[in-house]
């Protein structure tokens, strides 16, 4: 058994399996649906389900490399289809930094450490949270009910830092901006970057 460390109430292993995808940025506090069909990732999922029920989505950086910061994900649901593929719902636990590789084949297993969040006054984050929520796009006829429900839930959330990540995951589309928001360890600067992206989209 590897040593473990704690992060936001979860006990995380020092190494996590990684599925490598292009431009798929997962954030803490967010649910990411995945369709697992490649043989190596079927094996990865089996490994995860029989150990800690956790893996990461690594973003490809070209040249067979993976961006260093990702999100440790917990498998909340996994349904195996008759053909061996699986539908998975992955919940983001916390940011982690990849420090090396324990295994590359048949699937990657990364050595990880938590990304420590810098302190920011809660009063400042609450003001930034309100500014970000005010910049969310108006709901369309098709999305009206779900958008209004999400906005209400975000307004009622006490953890302003988590709200920033959820808004980024659902409303930011530029890949460079998503990378910047995921890698930023200061929640105040993260909110400022998020607000800038939301203003550009107006």
């Amino acid at each position: 058994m590897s040593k473990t460390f704690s992060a936001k109430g979860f006990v995380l292993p020092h190494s996590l399996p990684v599925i490598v995808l292009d431009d798929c940025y997962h954030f803490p506090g967010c649910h990411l649906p995945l369709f697992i069909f490649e043989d190596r990732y079927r094996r990865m999922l089996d490994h995860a389900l029989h150990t800690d029920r956790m893996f990461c989505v690594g973003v490809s950086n070209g040249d067979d490399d993976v961006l260093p910061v990702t999100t440790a994900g917990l498998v909340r649901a996994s349904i195996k289809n008759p053909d061996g593929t699986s539908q998975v719902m992955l919940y983001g636990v916390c940011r982690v930094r990849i420090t090396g590789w324990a295994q590359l084949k048949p699937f990657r297993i990364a050595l990880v450490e938590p990304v420590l969040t810098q302190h920011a006054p809660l009063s400042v984050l609450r003001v930034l949270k309100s500014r970000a929520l005010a910049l969310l796009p108006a709901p369309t006829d098709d999305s009206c009910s779900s958008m209004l429900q999400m906005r209400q839930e975000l307004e009622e959330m006490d953890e302003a830092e988590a709200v920033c990540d959820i808004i980024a995951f659902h409303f930011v589309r530029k890949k460079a901006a998503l990378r910047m928001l995921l890698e930023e360890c200061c929640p105040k600067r993260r909110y400022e970057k998020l607000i800038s992206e939301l203003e550009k989209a107006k």
Side-chain angles (χ1 to χ4, degrees), residues 7 10 12 17 30 34 41 44 60 106 109-110 116 119 121 130 136 139 143 145 155 159 165 179 193:
F10 287 84
L12 301 176
C30 300
L34 293 169
Y41 293 136
M44 181 211 70
S60 174
I109 297 180
L116 301 179
H119 172 73
S130 296
L136 292 185
S143 67
S145 178
E155 288 174 350
E159 195 174 353
D165 284 336
R179 176 179 178 177
K193 292 173 181 177

Side-chain angles (χ1 to χ4, degrees), residues 103-130:
Q103 173 181 301
L104 293 176
K105 293 182 178 181
F107 54 86
R108 289 178 182 248
I109 297 180
L111 302 174
V112 298
E113 63 182 17
V115 174
L116 301 179
T117 300
Q118 296 178 7
H119 172 73
L122 184 57
S123 58
V124 173
L125 295 184
R126 284 174 174 165
V127 171
L128 293 170
K129 169 189 166 182
S130 296

